[in-house]
């Protein structure tokens, strides 16, 4: 499938030639960027799990075994080595060391999205080959002990800027996750919240997204992708796509039809499925000056 970002020059030419023919503007692109939006989100989310070093986990776990504590602890009372090793894990991701990152995971590792360690290693390698300038910064939100296991919640911010065909490509991702450690390895990860924005061009739309973090099964929800600056006489096209968060969607790019937008953004009402799962809700907005995609995870609960 064609690279979505490589379409930008032809899109600009199309805008220029069709400025007086807005009514019949509709195009279909592969929402791909070299991979599907789902795959990119997967790759960005993976390293957010790795926040503890096995040595630190073993030490803290030994203390936990005696105390048998299940009370959530704050970052302020975390052991000093805990905070230090969190920084070291970010450093491993920032130097693109897939092997070092994967040493923190059990071979029987499970993920709320159906991943395993083999898929993770492959996806990280592909991501860092395509986007070599990503910077990871992880913040510890809370930690607790459950018997000899350690459970930690973190928020990881991933920022990157690079040139593509002489034009800036910028993205920012914020991912909240929970990890469970046993026998000095991460054995389980769950993504709690996720938002990723990718922009390309000299003047891409500045977009604000409103979407609840979770809804109940069968519940209606509102998704708003609002362009923050005035559009004026410019042409704005876009669309929204909803994808289930499953292993199959990671490597199967979605196609989306981009249509003329009569207002300054996208405003949709969706309905949650009848069974609990996670969804990605993504908006694509394009103007003559650039492209912005924003994807947010929606958790559907019972």
């Amino acid at each position: 499938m064609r690279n979505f970002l490589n379409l930008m020059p032809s899109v600009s030419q199309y805008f220029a030639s069709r400025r007086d023919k807005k009514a019949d503007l509709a195009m279909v692109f592969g929402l791909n960027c070299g991979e599907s939006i789902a795959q990119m989100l997967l790759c960005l989310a993976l390293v957010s799990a790795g926040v503890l070093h096995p040595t630190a986990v073993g030490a803290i776990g030994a203390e936990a075994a005696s105390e048998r504590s299940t009370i959530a602890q704050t970052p302020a009372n975390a052991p000093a080595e805990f905070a230090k090793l969190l920084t070291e894990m970010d450093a491993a991701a920032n130097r693109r060391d897939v092997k070092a990152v994967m040493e923190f995971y059990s071979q029987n590792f499970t993920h709320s999205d159906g991943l395993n360690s083999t898929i993770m290693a492959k996806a990280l390698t592909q991501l860092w080959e395509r986007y070599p300038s990503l910077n990871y910064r992880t913040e510890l939100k809370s930690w607790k002990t459950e018997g000899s296991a350690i459970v930690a919640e973190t928020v990881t911010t991933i920022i990157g800027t690079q040139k593509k065909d002489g034009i800036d490509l910028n993205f920012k991702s914020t991912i909240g996750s929970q990890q469970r450690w046993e026998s000095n390895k991460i054995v389980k990860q769950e993504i709690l919240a996720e938002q990723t924005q990718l922009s390309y061009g000299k003047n891409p739309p500045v977009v604000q997204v409103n979407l609840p973090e979770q809804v109940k099964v069968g519940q209606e929800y509102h998704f708003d992708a609002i362009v923050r600056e005035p559009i004026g006489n410019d042409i704005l096209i876009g669309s929204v796509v909803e994808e289930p968060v499953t292993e199959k969607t990671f490597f199967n790019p979605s196609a989306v039809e981009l249509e003329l937008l009569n207002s300054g953004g996208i405003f949709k009402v969706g309905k949650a499925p009848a069974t609990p799962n996670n969804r990605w809700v993504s908006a694509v907005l394009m103007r003559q000056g650039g492209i912005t995609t924003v994807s947010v995870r929606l958790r559907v609960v019972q």
Side-chain angles (χ1 to χ4, degrees):
M1 188 172 290
R2 296 175 66 191
N3 189 316
F4 180 63
L5 296 179
N6 287 340
L7 293 174
M8 190 58 220
S10 62
V11 169
S12 297
Q13 295 169 9
Y14 191 90
F15 281 149
S17 66
R18 301 298 292 273
R19 187 170 296 277
D20 297 325
K21 299 181 180 180
K22 298 182 181 180
D24 59 353
L25 176 61
M27 293 177 282
V28 176
F29 295 124
L31 194 53
N32 201 357
C33 299
E35 69 240 50
S36 67
I37 277 188
Q39 184 183 355
M40 185 179 73
L41 293 177
L42 157 69
C43 297
L44 292 173
L46 292 181
V47 182
S48 66
V51 296
L52 303 178
H53 190 281
T55 303
V57 174
I60 300 170
E63 298 174 3
S66 62
E67 296 179 3
R68 300 300 178 188
S69 172
T70 58
I71 301 175
Q73 304 293 318
T74 66
N77 63 12
E81 65 270 24
F82 188 104
K84 177 183 177 182
L85 291 167
L86 191 158
T87 302
E88 291 178 353
M89 189 60 190
D90 277 347
N94 287 330
R95 66 175 182 265
R96 322 291 178 250
D97 192 338
V98 175
K99 183 178 179 180
V101 170
M102 295 311 302
E103 287 179 355
F104 293 90
Y105 293 87
S106 167
Q107 288 296 316
N108 298 320
F109 166 78
T110 61
H111 191 282
S112 57
D113 297 341
L115 311 180
N116 58 42
S117 57
T118 301
I119 294 174
M120 288 178 61
K122 178 181 177 181
L124 283 174
T125 299
Q126 293 177 350
L127 174 73
W128 290 340
E129 287 175 351
R130 291 190 178 107
Y131 303 104
S133 63
L134 294 182
N135 180 267
Y136 292 76
R137 180 176 57 83
T138 299
E139 177 186 359
L140 177 65
K141 303 300 291 186
S142 68
W143 62 279
K144 65 181 180 180
T145 59
E146 292 183 354
S148 60
I150 301 295
V151 178
E153 289 192 11
T154 63
V155 174
T156 297
T157 302
I158 309 168
I159 298 176
T161 300
Q162 66 188 70
K163 292 284 187 180
K164 183 174 179 66
D165 300 327
I167 301 176
D168 286 338
L169 184 153
N170 301 282
F171 56 82
K172 179 178 180 180
S173 184
T174 303
I175 302 160
S177 67
Q178 181 185 83
Q179 311 91 44
R180 181 180 180 89
W181 290 70
E182 296 177 1
S183 301
N184 300 340
K185 297 286 185 179
I186 300 175
V187 298
K188 184 178 181 181
Q189 180 188 5
E190 180 181 5
I191 304 299
L192 304 176
E194 179 181 11
Q195 179 168 323
T196 297
Q197 179 165 313
L198 173 69
S199 62
Y200 175 78
K202 295 181 179 179
N203 187 27
V206 178
V207 180
Q208 174 186 321
V209 169
N210 297 324
L211 181 73
E213 285 189 2
Q214 71 176 40
V215 294
K216 293 184 177 181
V217 294
Q219 180 181 344
E220 285 191 348
Y221 63 87
H222 292 266
F223 174 78
D224 302 330
I226 306 167
V227 177
R228 297 297 303 272
E229 73 274 15
I231 297 300
N233 294 325
D234 205 354
I235 293 175
L236 182 68
I237 63 174
S239 190
V240 60
V241 58
E242 179 186 328
E243 301 174 281
V245 181
T246 67
E247 181 182 346
K248 291 181 179 179
T249 61
F250 293 149
F251 302 104
N252 294 300
S254 299
V256 58
E257 182 175 344
L258 302 179
E259 299 179 343
L260 174 69
L261 301 176
N262 294 320
S263 60
I266 298 173
F267 306 90
K268 296 289 185 180
V269 178
K271 186 173 183 179
T275 57
N277 61 25
N278 285 352
R279 318 287 290 184
W280 277 312
V281 186
S282 305
V284 184
L285 295 114
M286 306 174 71
R287 62 190 300 175
Q288 188 167 0
I291 306 168
T292 298
T293 69
V294 184
S295 296
V296 184
R297 181 177 293 243
L298 176 67
R299 302 176 69 197
V300 181
V301 300
Q302 192 67 49

